[in-house]
Amino acid sequence: MKVQVEELSPIEKKLSIEVDNARVVEELNRAYAALSGQVKMPGFRQGKVPRRILEQKYREQVEDDVIQRVVQRAYLDAVREHKVEAVASPQVTNSGLKPGAPFNFEARVEVKPKVEAKDFEGLSLTKVDTAVPDDAVNQQIEQMRQNMGRIEPVTDRDTAAQGDQVTIDFEAKVDGNAFPGSKADGIGVRVQDGDLIQGNIPQLAGVKVGESKDVEYTFAQDYQAEEVRGKTAVFHITVKELKKPVVPELNDDFAKETGVAQTVDELRAKVRSDLEKAKKNQATVDERDGLIKALLEKNPFDVPRAMVERAIDSMMEGAFRQMQRQGIDPRQLGLDFNRLRDEMREKATLEVKGTLLFEAIAQQQNIQASDEDVEKRIEDLAIEANQPVAQVKKYFKGPDERLGLSLRLREEKTIEFLKGRAKYS
C-alpha cells in the first residue's frame, strides 16, 4: 500500500492511498464466495453458482461492498502508520475498481491542530472578588422565607392590595369582539408589577371582592394568537377571592424547618458558606475563561468543525441532564435545537481552543497529574458526594474514566501555573 499525506490546512489533511491489486482481488474472491453460498438460482445448486453468472447480476453491488471494506481498512492503516490525528470521518472519493490495476482513493479529513503556545506568562487577568456581603446572606434567607411561606385567605379586609393573590373571572374583547381564550373563570393572578399575560395585574389594587374593573392590555407583535397580535384588548375583570402569602418568622423554628440548621446563627453560617462556594466556583469558571481569551489574543488558531460540534453535543447533554434532575422533560419544552446549537457555538469554540491550549502548555512545561493526585481527588469527590470512597473508586476503575480525571487534574494544574504567573488588575 502506498500513502501520500498532504496538509491542506492546519486542520485538514488529504490522504492519497493506493491499494495493491492483489489485496483487491482477495477481497473480491472472498465476497463472491460468500455470495455464492447465499444465492439461490434455478439450475444451480446452492454454493455452486458460477462466478461469471454472479458477476453479471451482482457486480455493482459486490464491488461497492468491496470498495467500502478496502477503503475502511486501508484508511485506518494509513492513519495509524502516518500518525494522522483525525477528529472526524473522512470524505472519500474514488474512481472505482479497474481489472488488473491498483485501487486508488483519496480521503480528506479534519485533524487535531498542532498547537505550540507562546507568550503565556504574564497574562493580564481581572481579579475576581469572592467575598460574600451580609446583604447577600440576608437576601438569600429572605428568599428561603418566601419559598417556605403559605397562602392563606384574607379575612381582615375585602379590598385587594399589592402582593395579594387574587381569584378572578375575566372576559376580554378586541374591538368589541371576543377571541380564543378571551373568557375564563376562577383564574389565580397576582397583584404586583409585571405582565398581564404572565398573571400580574397591579391595577387590581383597591378593587373590592365582587367588584369589577376594566384593564387594557396591548398584545405583542409576535403573540402566539395571530388574530390579536399588536392589538389592544379590554379585560373586564371581576375579583372573586383574596389570598395573601404568609411567610414564617426568622427564628430558630424556621431554621429547623429548613432542614440545614438548628438555629438562626447556624442558618446564616450555612447560607454564607454555600454562597461563598458558589462564588468561588463561578470565579474558577470566570478565571478559566479569562485565561483562554488572553491566550487566544497571543495564540490565534482555527479548530475543526467536528471538534466544535462534539463540544456542543456535550454542552447540550449537560443542560438536558440538569433539566431532568430538576424534574423537567426537555422534550416537552418545544425547544428549537438548531437555534440552541447556534447559540452555543461561540462558547463551544472557545472551549475547544482553550482545552488545546492548556494541553499544549502542559506538554511544554511537563505538567502532569500523578497517581497520588488522582487518588486524592477521588477521596475529595467521595466526601463531596457523601459516598464511600470504595464506591467512587469503583466508578473510576475503568481506564477511560481514570484518564479523563487525570486530564482534568492536569488542566487544573496548568491553570494554576498560568494564574501564578499572571498579572492581576
Side-chain angles (χ1 to χ4, degrees):
M1 185 174 73
K2 298 178 182 178
V3 180
Q4 180 181 347
V5 180
E6 179 183 352
E7 184 175 289
L8 303 178
S9 76
I11 59 173
E12 186 179 22
K13 290 186 176 181
K14 181 174 74 173
L15 283 72
S16 301
I17 301 174
E18 180 182 290
V19 181
D20 295 339
N21 178 252
R23 185 171 172 180
V24 176
V25 170
E26 181 182 345
E27 287 291 341
L28 284 170
N29 290 339
R30 186 181 293 114
Y32 278 114
L35 182 63
S36 177
Q38 298 169 359
V39 170
K40 294 182 180 179
M41 297 185 69
F44 299 98
R45 284 181 297 164
Q46 191 167 352
K48 299 297 183 179
V49 181
R51 176 161 169 171
R52 60 181 177 79
I53 302 297
L54 294 174
E55 288 178 345
Q56 290 174 4
K57 189 170 184 178
Y58 298 105
R59 178 191 295 274
E60 184 176 350
Q61 176 184 331
V62 169
E63 291 190 354
D64 285 346
D65 291 343
V66 166
I67 286 174
Q68 185 176 353
R69 286 200 300 274
V70 169
V71 165
Q72 184 177 23
R73 293 174 185 171
Y75 169 75
L76 292 176
D77 289 344
V79 165
R80 281 193 293 266
E81 180 184 347
H82 292 269
K83 296 180 173 57
V84 176
E85 292 190 87
V87 297
S89 298
Q91 294 180 330
V92 176
T93 57
N94 70 86
S95 55
L97 300 180
K98 297 180 177 59
F103 171 64
N104 294 280
F105 70 93
E106 290 183 349
R108 294 175 60 134
V109 63
E110 287 187 310
V111 296
K112 180 180 177 180
K114 293 180 179 179
V115 179
E116 184 174 352
K118 61 182 181 181
D119 299 332
F120 49 78
E121 296 197 24
L123 297 171
S124 297
L125 295 178
T126 302
K127 191 169 185 63
V128 181
D129 183 10
T130 58
V132 175
D134 291 341
D135 285 350
V137 175
N138 294 335
Q139 288 174 10
Q140 182 64 24
I141 292 176
E142 179 60 26
Q143 185 61 53
M144 294 172 72
R145 291 179 63 214
Q146 295 295 331
N147 292 341
M148 294 176 66
R150 61 187 184 277
I151 303 299
E152 294 183 351
V154 175
T155 58
D156 58 348
R157 55 182 167 84
D158 62 355
T159 302
Q162 184 76 9
D164 283 351
Q165 296 195 13
V166 182
T167 302
I168 65 169
D169 299 340
F170 74 84
E171 184 175 3
K173 293 184 178 181
V174 172
D175 298 331
N177 299 314
F179 54 89
S182 63
K183 183 176 181 180
D185 295 333
I187 302 299
V189 299
R190 297 169 293 276
V191 184
Q192 64 183 32
D193 293 339
D195 192 272
L196 181 146
I197 295 300
Q198 302 300 322
N200 303 307
I201 312 178
Q203 297 92 331
L204 294 181
V207 179
K208 291 186 176 182
V209 173
E211 292 184 351
S212 301
K213 183 169 185 175
D214 289 345
V215 176
E216 290 189 352
Y217 178 79
T218 301
F219 290 94
Q221 294 291 345
D222 59 352
Y223 187 70
Q224 58 185 3
E226 185 176 353
E227 57 268 35
V228 297
R229 288 176 184 169
K231 295 182 180 179
T232 299
V234 177
F235 284 77
H236 184 71
I237 301 172
T238 301
V239 175
K240 307 294 290 186
E241 184 183 14
L242 304 180
K243 296 181 180 180
K244 63 180 179 180
V246 178
V247 298
E249 291 185 29
L250 180 57
N251 52 30
D252 290 349
D253 289 337
F254 168 73
K256 293 174 183 176
E257 283 187 42
T258 66
V260 298
Q262 295 296 311
T263 67
V264 172
D265 287 343
E266 287 182 8
L267 179 61
R268 289 188 183 280
K270 171 63 174 172
V271 168
R272 183 179 296 278
S273 175
D274 289 347
L275 290 175
E276 286 175 346
K277 182 178 179 181
K279 286 200 77 171
K280 287 177 181 176
N281 288 340
Q282 187 59 50
T284 298
V285 172
D286 293 343
E287 286 180 331
R288 184 179 184 276
D289 289 346
L291 282 171
I292 292 173
K293 291 175 182 177
L295 285 167
L296 284 173
E297 287 182 3
K298 301 175 181 295
N299 300 271
F301 63 98
D302 293 326
V303 289
R305 180 179 178 85
M307 295 183 74
V308 174
E309 293 302 319
R310 278 201 294 274
I312 294 173
D313 291 341
S314 180
M315 292 168 64
M316 292 190 70
E317 287 171 6
F320 293 157
R321 281 196 300 270
Q322 179 67 21
M323 290 180 189
Q324 289 168 346
R325 283 195 291 268
Q326 296 172 350
I328 302 171
D329 185 350
R331 295 171 298 181
Q332 304 299 319
L333 299 179
L335 299 173
D336 184 339
F337 294 108
N338 289 331
R339 182 178 62 81
L340 282 176
R341 294 185 72 87
D342 288 341
E343 291 174 354
M344 292 178 174
R345 186 158 281 107
E346 181 178 355
K347 172 66 175 174
T349 302
L350 283 175
E351 179 64 28
V352 171
K353 291 182 176 182
T355 299
L356 292 173
L357 279 166
F358 292 142
E359 178 185 287
I361 294 169
Q363 291 173 348
Q364 292 169 220
Q365 297 297 311
N366 195 28
I367 299 172
Q368 299 291 338
S370 66
D371 288 340
E372 290 76 14
D373 293 330
V374 174
E375 292 298 321
K376 177 64 168 60
R377 178 55 60 87
I378 289 174
E379 292 174 4
D380 292 342
L381 290 172
I383 294 172
E384 185 178 330
N386 196 26
Q387 296 287 337
V389 174
Q391 184 173 336
V392 179
K393 279 188 175 182
K394 186 177 180 181
Y395 174 79
F396 287 104
K397 187 176 181 180
D400 290 342
E401 288 76 13
R402 194 173 182 86
L403 175 61
L405 180 57
S406 178
L407 292 176
R408 194 190 320 161
L409 289 172
R410 185 181 71 170
E411 180 179 291
E412 290 176 7
K413 282 189 163 187
T414 305
I415 289 173
E416 289 304 313
F417 167 83
L418 294 169
K419 286 166 58 178
R421 290 157 176 76
K423 296 177 181 178
Y424 284 89
S425 59

